[in-house]
Amino acid sequence: MPRLTIALGIVLVVLGLISYAATAFASWTALIPSILGLLLLIFGLVGLKRPKLGIHVALVIAAVGIAGTAMNVMQLGDLFAGTAERPAAVIVSTITFVLLIAYVIAGVRSFINARRWKDQQAT
């Protein structure tokens, strides 16, 4: 999980920088994926030494990111209808949302597998 966290962090940093440039540097909010990515990158690096701490914190950050991007994801209908106020924000938020959902699912599966492995070792 730490390596996946680091990779996701890098992807989100790049996504945020691209969206910021694509929106002509108009608003710092285009950098939100980069901020989330930087935090994930930091805690992924922490997770290399202390996996429990790093990955748990990273998953909390991902959950907050999911909640934060959900509002723009709800505007997908407007995007498809061509009436979205900020189409770039909807697109970038949706990409971020999907990546974070996949990450949380992978994290939960990892915790379940670790628990099973630990239980098997105890018997």
Side-chain angles (χ1 to χ4, degrees), residues 17 29 56-57 63 71 74 79 95 104 114 123:
L17 292 174
T29 58
H56 278 87
V57 173
M71 183 176 63
M74 298 296 186
L79 178 71
I95 293 168
V104 168
T123 56

Side-chain angles (χ1 to χ4, degrees), residues 13-82:
V13 167
V14 171
L15 177 65
L17 292 174
I18 290 170
S19 69
Y20 188 56
T23 59
F25 310 102
S27 174
W28 71 270
T29 58
L31 289 172
I32 289 174
S34 290
I35 295 167
L36 288 170
L38 185 60
L39 290 171
L40 289 176
L41 180 61
I42 290 167
F43 286 102
L45 292 170
V46 169
L48 291 173
K49 298 285 185 196
R50 298 187 59 198
K52 269 188 164 180
L53 174 67
I55 303 309
H56 278 87
V57 173
L59 285 169
V60 169
I61 291 167
V64 170
I66 289 167
T69 57
M71 183 176 63
N72 280 337
V73 173
M74 298 296 186
Q75 297 176 14
L76 271 175
D78 294 340
L79 178 71
F80 291 128

Side-chain angles (χ1 to χ4, degrees), residues 81-102:
T83 60
E85 255 183 65
R86 298 171 306 153
V90 175
I91 293 167
V92 172
S93 292
T94 301
I95 293 168
T96 303
F97 181 84
V98 169
L99 290 172
L100 292 175
I101 289 283

